[in-house]
Amino acid sequence: MNRSATWTTAAAIALASLLVTAASTSALAQQTPIRSTATTATKVVTNASDNLTYADLAGLADAAEVVVRGQVRKVSRLKPEQAPGLVPGMARVLVETRTTALLAGPAIGETVRYLADVPLDAKGKLPKLAKMQVLIFARTVAGRPGELRLVDGGAQILWSTGVEARTRNILTDLLSPDAPPRIKALREVLFVPGNLAGEGETQLFLQTETAAPVSLSVVRRPGMARTWGVSLSEIVDQAARPPERDTLTWYRLACFLPRTIPSSAGLSGNAEEHAAAEEDYAFVLAELGECTRTRPAVLR
């Protein structure tokens, strides 16, 4: 869906009497629905939060400025004409939630308000959300204390002790000074042949959002299995190891590396060395495994 799609707010103002004036353009209106089909929408929302994958939670946490545990106090449904882009079978609601814990982000008030998309029940009615415990992944709204903007329409998820513990672990890793940076592109690929037949090393250099160094190396030795690793420093280290699955480094690579070496990446050497580098890159992707999601990725 087009990221520039906006949510109108006149209904939220009238229904909740919480925003300043009906003429103002609330930042709540900037939330973008995440879903493109009714099937996807139902799957995303009706799955238990405990079934969300590491990539699901990491994507939500990584896009959020504020992560809050709260208890829903009040839900007001917007009219269909006041919820552009809404998927059939869903309702857009203005939610008022009491803050019970701030997992990450700046201090916020005891009560917060935001728009969310929720599935209707089999009778087309809004489910009873009042008093339910939820986790909210959101951003603050400048000049509007107590008002949040979800990172996408489905970024209010049901709370459980398990999903909160997993989220806290991800947040700890994201806030660490050693956190791996976001990957923007595969910048350069180099295959260095060894002195023996079948010996060589592929080095892959990544472009990151912060310009911090990230590189991968794949080592071939005669009579031995291929090995690979990731380095988060300027040094390309043959002793580097692969990241464990469901860690932040794994997520950065498995979910954001291109599926093939793009033409924009510098690829040095002759045709034979190019082929070796491409084989080694495919090997890395296979070793990382699939970036499994149960919900659409959050657009940043």
Side-chain angles (χ1 to χ4, degrees), residues 179-211:
R182 298 186 183 104
I183 305 300
K184 291 184 66 178
L186 179 56
R187 176 172 55 85
E188 186 177 358
V189 182
L190 174 66
F191 180 79
V192 181
N195 296 323
L196 304 175
E199 186 178 43
E201 179 182 4
T202 295
Q203 299 174 356
L204 304 111
F205 301 92
L206 308 181
Q207 181 183 355
T208 65
E209 195 170 278
T210 61

mmCIF file of all heavy atoms in Angstrom, residues 179-211:
data_model
loop_
_atom_site.group_PDB
_atom_site.id
_atom_site.type_symbol
_atom_site.label_atom_id
_atom_site.label_comp_id
_atom_site.label_asym_id
_atom_site.label_seq_id
_atom_site.Cartn_x
_atom_site.Cartn_y
_atom_site.Cartn_z
ATOM 1 N N ALA A 179 24.781 -2.672 18.897
ATOM 2 C CA ALA A 179 23.706 -3.158 18.028
ATOM 3 C C ALA A 179 24.117 -3.097 16.560
ATOM 4 O O ALA A 179 24.691 -2.099 16.118
ATOM 5 C CB ALA A 179 22.438 -2.343 18.241
ATOM 6 N N PRO A 180 23.854 -4.145 15.788
ATOM 7 C CA PRO A 180 24.165 -4.100 14.358
ATOM 8 C C PRO A 180 23.305 -3.057 13.666
ATOM 9 O O PRO A 180 22.121 -2.903 13.984
ATOM 10 C CB PRO A 180 23.829 -5.509 13.867
ATOM 11 C CG PRO A 180 22.824 -6.017 14.856
ATOM 12 C CD PRO A 180 23.210 -5.418 16.172
ATOM 13 N N PRO A 181 23.874 -2.312 12.724
ATOM 14 C CA PRO A 181 23.109 -1.259 12.047
ATOM 15 C C PRO A 181 22.128 -1.831 11.027
ATOM 16 O O PRO A 181 22.244 -2.992 10.618
ATOM 17 C CB PRO A 181 24.194 -0.431 11.351
ATOM 18 C CG PRO A 181 25.285 -1.419 11.085
ATOM 19 C CD PRO A 181 25.278 -2.369 12.245
ATOM 20 N N ARG A 182 21.184 -1.012 10.619
ATOM 21 C CA ARG A 182 20.251 -1.409 9.556
ATOM 22 C C ARG A 182 21.001 -1.510 8.230
ATOM 23 O O ARG A 182 21.848 -0.684 7.906
ATOM 24 C CB ARG A 182 19.116 -0.403 9.428
ATOM 25 C CG ARG A 182 18.246 -0.279 10.682
ATOM 26 C CD ARG A 182 17.054 0.628 10.432
ATOM 27 N NE ARG A 182 16.264 0.816 11.632
ATOM 28 C CZ ARG A 182 16.288 1.927 12.378
ATOM 29 N NH1 ARG A 182 17.051 2.937 12.011
ATOM 30 N NH2 ARG A 182 15.539 2.025 13.454
ATOM 31 N N ILE A 183 20.652 -2.529 7.464
ATOM 32 C CA ILE A 183 21.295 -2.771 6.172
ATOM 33 C C ILE A 183 20.545 -2.015 5.076
ATOM 34 O O ILE A 183 19.325 -2.109 4.969
ATOM 35 C CB ILE A 183 21.310 -4.276 5.846
ATOM 36 C CG1 ILE A 183 21.973 -5.069 6.978
ATOM 37 C CG2 ILE A 183 21.992 -4.535 4.505
ATOM 38 C CD1 ILE A 183 23.403 -4.683 7.247
ATOM 39 N N LYS A 184 21.285 -1.290 4.252
ATOM 40 C CA LYS A 184 20.678 -0.580 3.128
ATOM 41 C C LYS A 184 20.921 -1.289 1.801
ATOM 42 O O LYS A 184 20.048 -1.306 0.940
ATOM 43 C CB LYS A 184 21.232 0.841 3.050
ATOM 44 C CG LYS A 184 20.800 1.744 4.191
ATOM 45 C CD LYS A 184 21.310 3.161 4.002
ATOM 46 C CE LYS A 184 20.681 3.832 2.801
ATOM 47 N NZ LYS A 184 21.133 5.239 2.645
ATOM 48 N N ALA A 185 22.102 -1.852 1.619
ATOM 49 C CA ALA A 185 22.422 -2.454 0.323
ATOM 50 C C ALA A 185 23.661 -3.323 0.438
ATOM 51 O O ALA A 185 24.430 -3.231 1.398
ATOM 52 C CB ALA A 185 22.658 -1.361 -0.728
ATOM 53 N N LEU A 186 23.819 -4.196 -0.556
ATOM 54 C CA LEU A 186 25.065 -4.937 -0.743
ATOM 55 C C LEU A 186 25.946 -4.068 -1.631
ATOM 56 O O LEU A 186 25.638 -3.831 -2.794
ATOM 57 C CB LEU A 186 24.771 -6.291 -1.395
ATOM 58 C CG LEU A 186 25.965 -7.193 -1.698
ATOM 59 C CD1 LEU A 186 26.799 -7.481 -0.463
ATOM 60 C CD2 LEU A 186 25.470 -8.502 -2.316
ATOM 61 N N ARG A 187 27.026 -3.557 -1.050
ATOM 62 C CA ARG A 187 27.813 -2.512 -1.718
ATOM 63 C C ARG A 187 28.885 -3.077 -2.639
ATOM 64 O O ARG A 187 29.080 -2.607 -3.760
ATOM 65 C CB ARG A 187 28.444 -1.611 -0.660
ATOM 66 C CG ARG A 187 29.377 -0.538 -1.189
ATOM 67 C CD ARG A 187 29.787 0.421 -0.089
ATOM 68 N NE ARG A 187 30.366 -0.242 1.056
ATOM 69 C CZ ARG A 187 31.655 -0.573 1.158
ATOM 70 N NH1 ARG A 187 32.490 -0.314 0.159
ATOM 71 N NH2 ARG A 187 32.111 -1.159 2.249
ATOM 72 N N GLU A 188 29.625 -4.090 -2.166
ATOM 73 C CA GLU A 188 30.777 -4.579 -2.928
ATOM 74 C C GLU A 188 31.000 -6.051 -2.639
ATOM 75 O O GLU A 188 30.802 -6.514 -1.512
ATOM 76 C CB GLU A 188 32.026 -3.780 -2.558
ATOM 77 C CG GLU A 188 33.252 -4.095 -3.386
ATOM 78 C CD GLU A 188 34.435 -3.220 -3.009
ATOM 79 O OE1 GLU A 188 34.293 -2.336 -2.135
ATOM 80 O OE2 GLU A 188 35.521 -3.440 -3.585
ATOM 81 N N VAL A 189 31.414 -6.795 -3.681
ATOM 82 C CA VAL A 189 31.675 -8.229 -3.558
ATOM 83 C C VAL A 189 33.037 -8.520 -4.180
ATOM 84 O O VAL A 189 33.338 -8.050 -5.291
ATOM 85 C CB VAL A 189 30.586 -9.066 -4.264
ATOM 86 C CG1 VAL A 189 30.858 -10.558 -4.090
ATOM 87 C CG2 VAL A 189 29.201 -8.706 -3.725
ATOM 88 N N LEU A 190 33.828 -9.291 -3.462
ATOM 89 C CA LEU A 190 35.177 -9.595 -3.941
ATOM 90 C C LEU A 190 35.495 -11.061 -3.672
ATOM 91 O O LEU A 190 35.340 -11.539 -2.540
ATOM 92 C CB LEU A 190 36.198 -8.706 -3.219
ATOM 93 C CG LEU A 190 37.680 -8.980 -3.490
ATOM 94 C CD1 LEU A 190 38.016 -8.669 -4.945
ATOM 95 C CD2 LEU A 190 38.545 -8.147 -2.538
ATOM 96 N N PHE A 191 35.905 -11.792 -4.706
ATOM 97 C CA PHE A 191 36.366 -13.165 -4.522
ATOM 98 C C PHE A 191 37.885 -13.186 -4.655
ATOM 99 O O PHE A 191 38.439 -12.714 -5.653
ATOM 100 C CB PHE A 191 35.755 -14.121 -5.556
ATOM 101 C CG PHE A 191 36.226 -15.540 -5.388
ATOM 102 C CD1 PHE A 191 35.688 -16.353 -4.403
ATOM 103 C CD2 PHE A 191 37.240 -16.054 -6.194
ATOM 104 C CE1 PHE A 191 36.129 -17.664 -4.229
ATOM 105 C CE2 PHE A 191 37.685 -17.361 -6.032
ATOM 106 C CZ PHE A 191 37.128 -18.165 -5.035
ATOM 107 N N VAL A 192 38.546 -13.729 -3.634
ATOM 108 C CA VAL A 192 40.004 -13.811 -3.618
ATOM 109 C C VAL A 192 40.406 -15.280 -3.724
ATOM 110 O O VAL A 192 40.215 -16.048 -2.777
ATOM 111 C CB VAL A 192 40.585 -13.206 -2.324
ATOM 112 C CG1 VAL A 192 42.120 -13.275 -2.348
ATOM 113 C CG2 VAL A 192 40.103 -11.778 -2.126
ATOM 114 N N PRO A 193 40.942 -15.729 -4.879
ATOM 115 C CA PRO A 193 41.340 -17.137 -5.007
ATOM 116 C C PRO A 193 42.563 -17.438 -4.146
ATOM 117 O O PRO A 193 43.411 -16.578 -3.916
ATOM 118 C CB PRO A 193 41.657 -17.269 -6.502
ATOM 119 C CG PRO A 193 41.933 -15.886 -6.968
ATOM 120 C CD PRO A 193 41.161 -14.955 -6.109
ATOM 121 N N GLY A 194 42.631 -18.696 -3.677
ATOM 122 C CA GLY A 194 43.769 -19.118 -2.871
ATOM 123 C C GLY A 194 44.867 -19.715 -3.730
ATOM 124 O O GLY A 194 44.793 -19.725 -4.961
ATOM 125 N N ASN A 195 45.881 -20.239 -3.076
ATOM 126 C CA ASN A 195 47.018 -20.828 -3.784
ATOM 127 C C ASN A 195 46.744 -22.245 -4.259
ATOM 128 O O ASN A 195 47.408 -22.745 -5.179
ATOM 129 C CB ASN A 195 48.253 -20.825 -2.878
ATOM 130 C CG ASN A 195 48.697 -19.413 -2.536
ATOM 131 O OD1 ASN A 195 48.622 -18.523 -3.380
ATOM 132 N ND2 ASN A 195 49.136 -19.209 -1.305
ATOM 133 N N LEU A 196 45.759 -22.915 -3.638
ATOM 134 C CA LEU A 196 45.438 -24.289 -3.989
ATOM 135 C C LEU A 196 44.138 -24.343 -4.779
ATOM 136 O O LEU A 196 43.289 -23.452 -4.678
ATOM 137 C CB LEU A 196 45.309 -25.154 -2.725
ATOM 138 C CG LEU A 196 46.527 -25.182 -1.780
ATOM 139 C CD1 LEU A 196 46.186 -25.974 -0.524
ATOM 140 C CD2 LEU A 196 47.733 -25.783 -2.499
ATOM 141 N N ALA A 197 43.978 -25.383 -5.557
ATOM 142 C CA ALA A 197 42.732 -25.576 -6.299
ATOM 143 C C ALA A 197 41.567 -25.718 -5.323
ATOM 144 O O ALA A 197 41.653 -26.481 -4.354
ATOM 145 C CB ALA A 197 42.843 -26.813 -7.183
ATOM 146 N N GLY A 198 40.509 -24.991 -5.570
ATOM 147 C CA GLY A 198 39.338 -25.049 -4.705
ATOM 148 C C GLY A 198 39.432 -24.188 -3.476
ATOM 149 O O GLY A 198 38.528 -24.185 -2.632
ATOM 150 N N GLU A 199 40.512 -23.417 -3.338
ATOM 151 C CA GLU A 199 40.689 -22.552 -2.180
ATOM 152 C C GLU A 199 40.342 -21.111 -2.565
ATOM 153 O O GLU A 199 40.620 -20.663 -3.672
ATOM 154 C CB GLU A 199 42.143 -22.613 -1.697
ATOM 155 C CG GLU A 199 42.384 -21.848 -0.398
ATOM 156 C CD GLU A 199 43.824 -21.972 0.062
ATOM 157 O OE1 GLU A 199 44.731 -21.869 -0.797
ATOM 158 O OE2 GLU A 199 44.050 -22.183 1.256
ATOM 159 N N GLY A 200 39.725 -20.394 -1.639
ATOM 160 C CA GLY A 200 39.398 -19.002 -1.918
ATOM 161 C C GLY A 200 38.505 -18.411 -0.845
ATOM 162 O O GLY A 200 38.040 -19.110 0.066
ATOM 163 N N GLU A 201 38.263 -17.115 -0.949
ATOM 164 C CA GLU A 201 37.414 -16.407 0.007
ATOM 165 C C GLU A 201 36.603 -15.346 -0.720
ATOM 166 O O GLU A 201 37.135 -14.579 -1.526
ATOM 167 C CB GLU A 201 38.257 -15.737 1.097
ATOM 168 C CG GLU A 201 37.415 -14.967 2.113
ATOM 169 C CD GLU A 201 38.269 -14.269 3.165
ATOM 170 O OE1 GLU A 201 39.512 -14.323 3.057
ATOM 171 O OE2 GLU A 201 37.677 -13.653 4.077
ATOM 172 N N THR A 202 35.297 -15.330 -0.436
ATOM 173 C CA THR A 202 34.431 -14.259 -0.923
ATOM 174 C C THR A 202 34.204 -13.268 0.201
ATOM 175 O O THR A 202 33.845 -13.662 1.322
ATOM 176 C CB THR A 202 33.081 -14.809 -1.409
ATOM 177 O OG1 THR A 202 33.294 -15.644 -2.546
ATOM 178 C CG2 THR A 202 32.141 -13.686 -1.816
ATOM 179 N N GLN A 203 34.421 -12.006 -0.078
ATOM 180 C CA GLN A 203 34.183 -10.939 0.887
ATOM 181 C C GLN A 203 33.049 -10.066 0.378
ATOM 182 O O GLN A 203 33.050 -9.639 -0.779
ATOM 183 C CB GLN A 203 35.451 -10.107 1.083
ATOM 184 C CG GLN A 203 36.622 -10.908 1.621
ATOM 185 C CD GLN A 203 37.910 -10.102 1.684
ATOM 186 O OE1 GLN A 203 37.969 -8.951 1.251
ATOM 187 N NE2 GLN A 203 38.965 -10.713 2.235
ATOM 188 N N LEU A 204 32.081 -9.828 1.255
ATOM 189 C CA LEU A 204 30.902 -9.029 0.894
ATOM 190 C C LEU A 204 30.795 -7.864 1.852
ATOM 191 O O LEU A 204 30.754 -8.053 3.069
ATOM 192 C CB LEU A 204 29.631 -9.887 0.960
ATOM 193 C CG LEU A 204 29.654 -11.164 0.104
ATOM 194 C CD1 LEU A 204 29.703 -12.392 1.000
ATOM 195 C CD2 LEU A 204 28.436 -11.233 -0.803
ATOM 196 N N PHE A 205 30.762 -6.665 1.297
ATOM 197 C CA PHE A 205 30.720 -5.452 2.100
ATOM 198 C C PHE A 205 29.347 -4.802 1.956
ATOM 199 O O PHE A 205 28.859 -4.591 0.845
ATOM 200 C CB PHE A 205 31.820 -4.492 1.650
ATOM 201 C CG PHE A 205 33.202 -5.074 1.769
ATOM 202 C CD1 PHE A 205 33.774 -5.742 0.696
ATOM 203 C CD2 PHE A 205 33.910 -4.980 2.958
ATOM 204 C CE1 PHE A 205 35.041 -6.298 0.796
ATOM 205 C CE2 PHE A 205 35.181 -5.529 3.071
ATOM 206 C CZ PHE A 205 35.748 -6.186 1.990
ATOM 207 N N LEU A 206 28.735 -4.482 3.104
ATOM 208 C CA LEU A 206 27.371 -3.979 3.118
ATOM 209 C C LEU A 206 27.342 -2.478 3.376
ATOM 210 O O LEU A 206 28.179 -1.949 4.117
ATOM 211 C CB LEU A 206 26.553 -4.701 4.190
ATOM 212 C CG LEU A 206 26.589 -6.236 4.142
ATOM 213 C CD1 LEU A 206 25.718 -6.816 5.245
ATOM 214 C CD2 LEU A 206 26.150 -6.744 2.787
ATOM 215 N N GLN A 207 26.376 -1.827 2.778
ATOM 216 C CA GLN A 207 26.113 -0.422 3.065
ATOM 217 C C GLN A 207 25.072 -0.361 4.167
ATOM 218 O O GLN A 207 24.028 -1.005 4.087
ATOM 219 C CB GLN A 207 25.601 0.303 1.824
ATOM 220 C CG GLN A 207 25.324 1.786 2.046
ATOM 221 C CD GLN A 207 24.758 2.452 0.800
ATOM 222 O OE1 GLN A 207 24.650 1.831 -0.248
ATOM 223 N NE2 GLN A 207 24.390 3.710 0.922
ATOM 224 N N THR A 208 25.352 0.404 5.211
ATOM 225 C CA THR A 208 24.452 0.478 6.353
ATOM 226 C C THR A 208 23.903 1.888 6.521
ATOM 227 O O THR A 208 24.438 2.859 5.979
ATOM 228 C CB THR A 208 25.162 0.057 7.650
ATOM 229 O OG1 THR A 208 26.198 1.008 7.946
ATOM 230 C CG2 THR A 208 25.775 -1.327 7.498
ATOM 231 N N GLU A 209 22.849 1.994 7.300
ATOM 232 C CA GLU A 209 22.183 3.281 7.496
ATOM 233 C C GLU A 209 23.073 4.284 8.215
ATOM 234 O O GLU A 209 22.980 5.488 7.995
ATOM 235 C CB GLU A 209 20.883 3.060 8.275
ATOM 236 C CG GLU A 209 19.931 4.217 8.250
ATOM 237 C CD GLU A 209 18.581 3.856 8.825
ATOM 238 O OE1 GLU A 209 17.754 3.281 8.095
ATOM 239 O OE2 GLU A 209 18.372 4.153 10.010
ATOM 240 N N THR A 210 23.945 3.792 9.087
ATOM 241 C CA THR A 210 24.812 4.673 9.875
ATOM 242 C C THR A 210 26.223 4.756 9.316
ATOM 243 O O THR A 210 27.080 5.418 9.910
ATOM 244 C CB THR A 210 24.889 4.170 11.318
ATOM 245 O OG1 THR A 210 25.443 2.843 11.328
ATOM 246 C CG2 THR A 210 23.519 4.144 11.975
ATOM 247 N N ALA A 211 26.470 4.063 8.217
ATOM 248 C CA ALA A 211 27.818 3.964 7.631
ATOM 249 C C ALA A 211 28.754 3.120 8.482
ATOM 250 O O ALA A 211 29.958 3.052 8.202
ATOM 251 C CB ALA A 211 28.422 5.337 7.371
#
